[in-house]
PDB file of all heavy atoms in Angstrom:
ATOM      1  N   PHE B  94     -10.026   5.513 -11.763  1.00  0.00           N
ATOM      2  CA  PHE B  94     -10.775   5.575 -12.939  1.00  0.00           C
ATOM      3  C   PHE B  94     -10.547   6.825 -13.740  1.00  0.00           C
ATOM      4  O   PHE B  94     -10.655   6.915 -14.979  1.00  0.00           O
ATOM      5  CB  PHE B  94     -12.282   5.441 -12.619  1.00  0.00           C
ATOM      6  CG  PHE B  94     -12.601   4.043 -12.259  1.00  0.00           C
ATOM      7  CD1 PHE B  94     -13.063   3.718 -10.939  1.00  0.00           C
ATOM      8  CD2 PHE B  94     -12.625   2.927 -13.118  1.00  0.00           C
ATOM      9  CE1 PHE B  94     -13.308   2.401 -10.621  1.00  0.00           C
ATOM     10  CE2 PHE B  94     -12.798   1.691 -12.828  1.00  0.00           C
ATOM     11  CZ  PHE B  94     -13.279   1.272 -11.561  1.00  0.00           C
ATOM     12  N   ASP B  95     -10.011   7.946 -12.986  1.00  0.00           N
ATOM     13  CA  ASP B  95      -9.599   9.146 -13.694  1.00  0.00           C
ATOM     14  C   ASP B  95      -8.354   8.784 -14.652  1.00  0.00           C
ATOM     15  O   ASP B  95      -8.062   9.512 -15.571  1.00  0.00           O
ATOM     16  CB  ASP B  95      -9.092  10.178 -12.690  1.00  0.00           C
ATOM     17  CG  ASP B  95     -10.353  10.948 -12.158  1.00  0.00           C
ATOM     18  OD1 ASP B  95     -11.500  10.721 -12.781  1.00  0.00           O
ATOM     19  OD2 ASP B  95     -10.212  11.649 -11.087  1.00  0.00           O
ATOM     20  N   MET B  96      -7.688   7.704 -14.191  1.00  0.00           N
ATOM     21  CA  MET B  96      -6.359   7.435 -14.900  1.00  0.00           C
ATOM     22  C   MET B  96      -6.779   6.477 -16.155  1.00  0.00           C
ATOM     23  O   MET B  96      -5.948   5.833 -16.759  1.00  0.00           O
ATOM     24  CB  MET B  96      -5.408   6.589 -14.090  1.00  0.00           C
ATOM     25  CG  MET B  96      -4.871   7.285 -12.885  1.00  0.00           C
ATOM     26  SD  MET B  96      -3.762   8.504 -13.367  1.00  0.00           S
ATOM     27  CE  MET B  96      -2.439   7.689 -14.144  1.00  0.00           C
ATOM     28  N   GLU B  97      -8.102   6.309 -16.359  1.00  0.00           N
ATOM     29  CA  GLU B  97      -8.621   5.514 -17.402  1.00  0.00           C
ATOM     30  C   GLU B  97      -8.243   4.004 -17.149  1.00  0.00           C
ATOM     31  O   GLU B  97      -8.010   3.299 -18.244  1.00  0.00           O
ATOM     32  CB  GLU B  97      -8.214   6.064 -18.879  1.00  0.00           C
ATOM     33  CG  GLU B  97      -8.738   7.454 -19.093  1.00  0.00           C
ATOM     34  CD  GLU B  97      -8.432   7.977 -20.492  1.00  0.00           C
ATOM     35  OE1 GLU B  97      -7.578   7.308 -21.249  1.00  0.00           O
ATOM     36  OE2 GLU B  97      -9.027   8.985 -20.856  1.00  0.00           O
ATOM     37  N   ALA B  98      -8.243   3.726 -16.011  1.00  0.00           N
ATOM     38  CA  ALA B  98      -8.079   2.190 -15.768  1.00  0.00           C
ATOM     39  C   ALA B  98      -9.315   1.363 -16.081  1.00  0.00           C
ATOM     40  O   ALA B  98     -10.514   1.969 -15.893  1.00  0.00           O
ATOM     41  CB  ALA B  98      -7.752   1.996 -14.234  1.00  0.00           C
ATOM     42  N   GLU B  99      -9.303   0.176 -16.587  1.00  0.00           N
ATOM     43  CA  GLU B  99     -10.407  -0.539 -16.816  1.00  0.00           C
ATOM     44  C   GLU B  99     -11.170  -1.041 -15.566  1.00  0.00           C
ATOM     45  O   GLU B  99     -12.300  -1.331 -15.506  1.00  0.00           O
ATOM     46  CB  GLU B  99     -10.149  -1.728 -17.725  1.00  0.00           C
ATOM     47  CG  GLU B  99     -10.143  -1.472 -19.136  1.00  0.00           C
ATOM     48  CD  GLU B  99      -9.004  -0.549 -19.633  1.00  0.00           C
ATOM     49  OE1 GLU B  99      -7.911  -0.806 -19.044  1.00  0.00           O
ATOM     50  OE2 GLU B  99      -9.217   0.334 -20.456  1.00  0.00           O
ATOM     51  N   ASP B 100     -10.251  -1.126 -14.530  1.00  0.00           N
ATOM     52  CA  ASP B 100     -10.905  -1.715 -13.248  1.00  0.00           C
ATOM     53  C   ASP B 100      -9.940  -1.462 -12.046  1.00  0.00           C
ATOM     54  O   ASP B 100      -8.836  -1.095 -12.165  1.00  0.00           O
ATOM     55  CB  ASP B 100     -11.220  -3.189 -13.382  1.00  0.00           C
ATOM     56  CG  ASP B 100     -12.492  -3.650 -12.597  1.00  0.00           C
ATOM     57  OD1 ASP B 100     -12.963  -2.785 -11.711  1.00  0.00           O
ATOM     58  OD2 ASP B 100     -13.114  -4.685 -12.801  1.00  0.00           O
ATOM     59  N   TYR B 101     -10.535  -1.758 -10.964  1.00  0.00           N
ATOM     60  CA  TYR B 101      -9.904  -1.425  -9.653  1.00  0.00           C
ATOM     61  C   TYR B 101     -10.140  -2.482  -8.768  1.00  0.00           C
ATOM     62  O   TYR B 101     -11.391  -2.850  -8.315  1.00  0.00           O
ATOM     63  CB  TYR B 101     -10.412  -0.140  -9.173  1.00  0.00           C
ATOM     64  CG  TYR B 101      -9.969   0.421  -7.948  1.00  0.00           C
ATOM     65  CD1 TYR B 101      -8.786   1.236  -7.970  1.00  0.00           C
ATOM     66  CD2 TYR B 101     -10.643   0.171  -6.703  1.00  0.00           C
ATOM     67  CE1 TYR B 101      -8.320   1.741  -6.742  1.00  0.00           C
ATOM     68  CE2 TYR B 101     -10.206   0.735  -5.528  1.00  0.00           C
ATOM     69  CZ  TYR B 101      -9.080   1.414  -5.630  1.00  0.00           C
ATOM     70  OH  TYR B 101      -8.582   2.141  -4.378  1.00  0.00           O
ATOM     71  N   LEU B 102      -9.281  -3.434  -8.467  1.00  0.00           N
ATOM     72  CA  LEU B 102      -9.465  -4.637  -7.763  1.00  0.00           C
ATOM     73  C   LEU B 102      -8.927  -4.467  -6.225  1.00  0.00           C
ATOM     74  O   LEU B 102      -7.779  -4.013  -6.077  1.00  0.00           O
ATOM     75  CB  LEU B 102      -8.748  -5.837  -8.325  1.00  0.00           C
ATOM     76  CG  LEU B 102      -9.302  -6.259  -9.623  1.00  0.00           C
ATOM     77  CD1 LEU B 102      -8.417  -7.342 -10.246  1.00  0.00           C
ATOM     78  CD2 LEU B 102     -10.728  -6.805  -9.476  1.00  0.00           C
ATOM     79  N   ILE B 103      -9.811  -4.800  -5.376  1.00  0.00           N
ATOM     80  CA  ILE B 103      -9.302  -4.777  -3.802  1.00  0.00           C
ATOM     81  C   ILE B 103      -8.861  -6.147  -3.565  1.00  0.00           C
ATOM     82  O   ILE B 103      -9.441  -7.101  -3.657  1.00  0.00           O
ATOM     83  CB  ILE B 103     -10.591  -4.386  -2.971  1.00  0.00           C
ATOM     84  CG1 ILE B 103     -11.258  -3.060  -3.452  1.00  0.00           C
ATOM     85  CG2 ILE B 103     -10.150  -4.235  -1.445  1.00  0.00           C
ATOM     86  CD1 ILE B 103     -10.511  -1.721  -3.098  1.00  0.00           C
ATOM     87  N   LYS B 104      -7.594  -6.105  -2.940  1.00  0.00           N
ATOM     88  CA  LYS B 104      -7.014  -7.306  -2.348  1.00  0.00           C
ATOM     89  C   LYS B 104      -7.567  -7.701  -1.094  1.00  0.00           C
ATOM     90  O   LYS B 104      -7.898  -6.867  -0.294  1.00  0.00           O
ATOM     91  CB  LYS B 104      -5.441  -7.108  -2.214  1.00  0.00           C
ATOM     92  CG  LYS B 104      -4.656  -6.740  -3.447  1.00  0.00           C
ATOM     93  CD  LYS B 104      -3.248  -6.322  -3.042  1.00  0.00           C
ATOM     94  CE  LYS B 104      -2.529  -5.422  -4.055  1.00  0.00           C
ATOM     95  NZ  LYS B 104      -1.325  -4.989  -3.610  1.00  0.00           N
ATOM     96  N   PRO B 105      -7.657  -9.002  -0.776  1.00  0.00           N
ATOM     97  CA  PRO B 105      -7.350 -10.133  -1.621  1.00  0.00           C
ATOM     98  C   PRO B 105      -8.363 -10.304  -2.725  1.00  0.00           C
ATOM     99  O   PRO B 105      -9.634  -9.973  -2.538  1.00  0.00           O
ATOM    100  CB  PRO B 105      -7.226 -11.341  -0.700  1.00  0.00           C
ATOM    101  CG  PRO B 105      -8.192 -10.918   0.402  1.00  0.00           C
ATOM    102  CD  PRO B 105      -8.179  -9.491   0.577  1.00  0.00           C
ATOM    103  N   ILE B 106      -7.960 -10.789  -3.883  1.00  0.00           N
ATOM    104  CA  ILE B 106      -8.882 -10.900  -5.019  1.00  0.00           C
ATOM    105  C   ILE B 106      -9.389 -12.268  -5.326  1.00  0.00           C
ATOM    106  O   ILE B 106      -8.606 -13.250  -5.433  1.00  0.00           O
ATOM    107  CB  ILE B 106      -8.011 -10.426  -6.343  1.00  0.00           C
ATOM    108  CG1 ILE B 106      -7.453  -9.019  -6.064  1.00  0.00           C
ATOM    109  CG2 ILE B 106      -8.889 -10.402  -7.569  1.00  0.00           C
ATOM    110  CD1 ILE B 106      -6.273  -8.686  -6.955  1.00  0.00           C
ATOM    111  N   LEU B 107     -10.677 -12.367  -5.410  1.00  0.00           N
ATOM    112  CA  LEU B 107     -11.204 -13.643  -5.659  1.00  0.00           C
ATOM    113  C   LEU B 107     -11.241 -13.943  -7.141  1.00  0.00           C
ATOM    114  O   LEU B 107     -11.317 -13.011  -7.975  1.00  0.00           O
ATOM    115  CB  LEU B 107     -12.690 -13.746  -5.110  1.00  0.00           C
ATOM    116  CG  LEU B 107     -12.875 -13.720  -3.560  1.00  0.00           C
ATOM    117  CD1 LEU B 107     -14.341 -13.665  -3.232  1.00  0.00           C
ATOM    118  CD2 LEU B 107     -12.261 -14.960  -2.926  1.00  0.00           C
TER     119      LEU B 107
END
Side-chain angles (χ1 to χ4, degrees):
Chain B
F94 288 113
D95 281 348
M96 300 289 300
E97 297 184 348
E99 271 69 41
D100 214 343
Y101 179 86
L102 293 173
I103 304 285
K104 300 173 199 171
I106 305 158
L107 293 173

